[in-house]
């Protein structure tokens, strides 16, 4: 049973509440765990510049589009497309599938972060030379990470079950500013280490000789992932947004906060990394090795307390993001399938937990592989390199070509009450430029992906999209 648009939706309690919740969705492991290691693997400064260009020209526009679609249709990811034009329902389904896939590995890393709160408290920092090995041993252990992942998912369920203004908003409001402050401490400490300037140079001095099509696609994927775009999370959040809120301002605030945290995480990580002679391309373990080492260097109880606060902050940032991922799936099940919130949350979480078990085991070399790639990397590659960007492309095509320009203008300007002088520019970006740009970057990135062995998985992603497009009309 689908709800009618006139059904009153649970609304965000306050203006700041919405901005913090949307920023809570955006700021997460993507900024603090993924951004530094992806930048590290992709050459540093040049990656950062391309990433920033994508954030400004594509990310901002897509986020505004998602908010506008959500608030206009008052529906979640699937319903918003379905209620406008049934042929476009597949974009919503792509979003729900992306929600499942990201939730198939995100809680694994969330669980690591949770575990590190206890590891740091339990004396990890006393033996700085063993920090790197300890991380490798931990994630390849078949049992330990699973337990933490399970606890993480339980926490996630607890927040989502309470509904919109009750759970999500409160968590975001209190803990986001705390995380920001801790990151500043990490950054200041990192920069003060001997040899740290090489890290800042690596991050801010672009070396374009390192750029190829894979780097450009990685930057695009990172922009979408970090801003929670391309899968209807912001459509869903926008559907709960009050009619009088200023969408443009909200978008600008969320995009700037997210970008500030990513850059801050880079500034926190790279100088320390260079000071400790850790390879920039060290990969997914980066935060879990660099940050404890940095606080071990600081020494004593102070070092331990900061490290504790860092991992508490990171866990909460992860939670406010995964809550929105789960919400995309849950609100689909509630709005379109008529399930109760409880059933939807428990049902979806069970499937996600099973996927996470495969993802976690794959890091220890266990479990099935596809084209020689383990579950963790498959879920990550499919979403980060294919579904989110292609989803964002379809969202733009939908808004530009399927919705009326005047409806969009009315929605974004609150019926003419809010001025948005750049409306024409935004509209043309969404209608013409972004679809084209994403298509080119994705095409080149996927072709280039065959050199690194990621190509077959990405092609599989395109095939899955084609299948969803074909069958979604019947669902
Ligand atoms: N933006 C989140 C992060 O940076 O960790 C991840 C994410 C959340 C991606 C929600 C997509 C999404 F819909």
């Amino acid at each position: 049973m689908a709800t009618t648009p006139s059904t009153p939706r649970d609304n965000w309690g306050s203006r700041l509440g919405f901005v913090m919740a949307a920023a809570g969705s955006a700021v997460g492991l993507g900024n603090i765990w993924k951004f530094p290691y992806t930048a590290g693997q992709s050459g540093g400064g040049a990656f950062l510049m391309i990433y920033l260009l994508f954030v400004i020209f594509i990310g901002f526009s897509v986020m505004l589009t998602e908010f506008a679609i959500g608030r206009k249709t008052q529906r979640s990811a699937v319903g918003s497309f379905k209620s406008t034009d049934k042929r476009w329902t597949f974009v919503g389904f792509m979003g729900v599938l992306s929600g499942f896939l990201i939730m198939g590995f995100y809680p694994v890393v969330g669980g690591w972060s949770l575990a590190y709160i206890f590891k740091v408290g339990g004396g990890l920092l006393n033996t700085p030379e063993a920090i790197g090995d300890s991380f490798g041993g931990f994630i390849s252990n078949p049992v330990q990470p699973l337990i933490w992942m399970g606890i993480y998912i339980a926490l996630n369920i607890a927040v989502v079950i309470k509904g919109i203004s009750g759970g999500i908003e409160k968590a975001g409001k209190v803990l986001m500013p705390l995380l920001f402050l801790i990151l500043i401490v990490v950054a200041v400490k990192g920069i003060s280490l001997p040899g740290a300037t090489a890290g800042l140079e690596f991050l801010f001095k672009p070396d374009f000789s390192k750029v190829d099509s894979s780097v450009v696609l990685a930057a695009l994927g990172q922009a979408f992932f970090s801003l929670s775009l391309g899968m209807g999370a912001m459509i869903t959040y926008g559907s709960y947004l009050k009619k009088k809120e200023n969408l443009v301002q909200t978008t600008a605030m969320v995009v700037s906060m997210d970008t500030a945290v990513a850059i801050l995480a880079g500034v926190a990580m790279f100088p320390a990394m260079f000071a400790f002679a850790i390879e920039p391309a060290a990969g997914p373990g980066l935060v879990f090795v660099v940050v404890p080492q940095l606080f071990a260097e600081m020494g004593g109880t102070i070092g331990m307390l900061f490290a504790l606060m860092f991992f508490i902050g990171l866990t909460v940032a992860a939670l406010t993001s995964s809550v929105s991922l789960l919400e995309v799936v849950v609100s689909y099940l509630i709005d379109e399938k008529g399930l109760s919130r409880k059933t939807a949350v428990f049902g979806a979480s069970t499937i996600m937990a099973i996927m996470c078990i495969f993802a976690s085991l794959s890091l220890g070399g266990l479990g099935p592989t596809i084209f020689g790639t383990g579950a963790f990397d498959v879920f990550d590659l499919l979403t980060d390199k294919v579904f989110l960007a292609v989803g964002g492309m379809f969202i733009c095509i939908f808004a530009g070509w399927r919705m009326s320009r005047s409806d969009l203008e009315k929605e974004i300007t609150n019926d003419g009450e809010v001025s948005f002088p750049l409306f024409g520019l935004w509209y043309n970006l969404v209608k013409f430029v972004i679809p084209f740009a994403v298509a080119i970057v994705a095409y080149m990135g996927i072709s280039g992906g065959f050199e690194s062995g990621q190509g077959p998985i990405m092609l599989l992603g395109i095939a899955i999209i084609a299948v969803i497009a074909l069958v979604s009309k019947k669902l």
Side-chain angles (χ1 to χ4, degrees):
M1 188 192 70
T3 48
T4 59
S6 58
T7 308
R9 288 180 84 80
D10 195 0
N11 265 312
W12 300 95
S14 67
R15 163 84 193 280
L16 188 66
F18 178 78
V19 173
M20 292 314 270
S25 166
V27 176
L29 295 172
N31 308 58
I32 298 162
W33 163 72
K34 205 176 209 305
F35 173 79
Y37 88 75
T38 309
Q41 287 171 334
S42 310
F47 171 87
L48 177 64
M49 275 194 66
I50 300 169
Y51 168 74
L52 288 177
L53 283 177
F54 284 151
V55 165
I56 295 166
F57 289 103
I58 299 185
F60 179 92
S61 309
V62 175
M63 191 179 289
L64 184 55
T65 310
E66 289 204 24
F67 283 153
I69 294 176
R71 194 174 66 171
K72 164 128 190 63
T73 57
Q74 291 280 293
R75 310 264 186 143
S76 49
V78 172
S80 55
F81 295 100
K82 199 174 175 183
S83 63
T84 313
D85 182 343
K86 268 203 138 175
R87 287 172 301 178
W88 283 82
T89 316
F90 76 96
V91 184
F93 281 116
M94 274 174 69
V96 173
L97 179 64
S98 301
F100 270 113
L101 288 171
I102 298 178
M103 282 302 278
F105 72 90
Y106 205 91
V108 173
V109 185
W112 298 348
S113 177
L114 194 57
Y116 264 65
I117 300 174
F118 294 86
K119 283 183 185 290
V120 164
L124 177 76
L125 308 190
N126 298 339
T127 44
E129 57 301 336
I131 287 172
D133 290 343
S134 152
F135 177 77
F138 169 62
I139 63 161
S140 54
N141 180 302
V143 184
Q144 267 196 38
L146 292 186
I147 297 171
W148 292 106
M149 178 272 287
I151 303 174
Y152 180 91
I153 290 189
L155 287 173
N156 210 45
I157 290 175
V159 182
V160 176
I161 257 212
K162 288 172 94 188
I164 286 297
S165 36
I168 305 174
E169 207 169 308
K170 267 189 215 135
K173 234 191 270 184
V174 185
L175 292 151
M176 295 281 299
L178 178 72
L179 177 69
F180 201 77
L181 290 180
I182 304 168
L183 267 179
I184 293 178
V185 174
V186 183
V188 170
K189 174 68 192 163
I191 294 172
S192 70
L193 293 170
T197 34
L200 289 179
E201 252 175 47
F202 178 81
L203 182 61
F204 292 114
K205 235 190 183 168
D207 171 1
F208 285 99
S209 68
K210 292 188 181 143
V211 174
D212 59 18
S213 60
S214 307
V215 169
V216 180
L217 180 61
L220 185 68
Q222 178 63 29
F224 273 94
F225 186 86
S226 187
L227 293 167
S228 303
L229 298 175
M231 53 165 283
M234 293 306 185
I235 294 182
T236 307
Y237 271 28
S239 76
Y240 299 114
L241 191 55
K242 287 185 185 131
K243 285 288 176 196
K244 63 175 197 304
E245 300 298 359
N246 182 332
L247 295 185
V248 181
Q249 232 176 46
T250 304
T251 307
M253 283 166 80
V254 176
V255 171
S256 351
M257 279 194 235
D258 186 73
T259 309
V261 175
I263 294 178
L264 194 54
V267 174
M269 232 60 75
F270 286 105
M273 226 163 72
F274 276 73
F276 297 140
I278 297 173
E279 273 294 300
L286 208 56
V287 215
F288 295 95
V289 176
V290 172
V291 170
Q293 216 159 314
L294 185 112
F295 286 120
E297 175 92 4
M298 204 180 241
T301 323
I302 292 280
M304 191 192 77
L305 280 180
F306 275 127
L308 267 182
M309 289 202 296
F310 176 85
F311 285 108
I312 293 174
L314 182 60
T315 307
V316 171
L319 271 173
T320 54
S321 300
S322 52
V323 151
S324 74
L325 286 157
L326 183 55
E327 187 64 28
V328 169
V329 177
V330 165
S331 57
Y332 158 67
L333 294 172
I334 297 174
D335 286 0
E336 303 295 320
K337 295 285 167 218
L339 297 190
S340 73
R341 179 165 277 270
K342 248 199 186 135
T343 317
V345 170
F346 279 111
S349 302
T350 307
I351 299 174
M352 289 161 182
I354 295 170
M355 294 169 71
C356 282
I357 293 176
F358 284 110
S360 186
L361 291 177
S362 73
L363 297 173
L366 303 169
T369 56
I370 302 177
F371 299 118
T373 311
F376 190 104
D377 292 333
V378 170
F379 300 159
D380 176 37
L381 272 175
L382 282 177
T383 46
D384 191 58
K385 298 277 162 57
V386 185
F387 286 175
L388 297 186
V390 174
M393 177 185 86
F394 282 128
I395 289 171
C396 289
I397 299 176
F398 173 80
W401 298 88
R402 197 59 202 82
M403 293 173 82
S404 88
R405 181 182 167 128
S406 68
D407 279 355
L408 284 166
E409 186 158 16
K410 272 192 212 144
E411 192 60 48
I412 289 175
T413 61
N414 296 356
D415 281 327
E417 269 171 35
V418 172
S419 99
F420 181 34
L422 298 179
F423 177 83
L425 174 65
W426 167 82
Y427 185 74
N428 285 307
L429 277 175
V430 165
K431 186 163 183 165
F432 302 106
V433 181
I434 297 176
F436 218 51
V438 171
I440 292 172
V441 172
Y443 174 77
M444 288 177 46
I446 293 173
S447 318
F450 280 91
E451 278 157 37
S452 59
Q454 299 178 339
I457 307 269
M458 296 189 218
L459 263 193
L460 176 70
I462 300 288
I464 294 173
I465 295 173
V467 171
I468 294 176
L470 286 174
V471 302
S472 66
K473 272 172 277 176
K474 301 198 183 75
L475 293 170

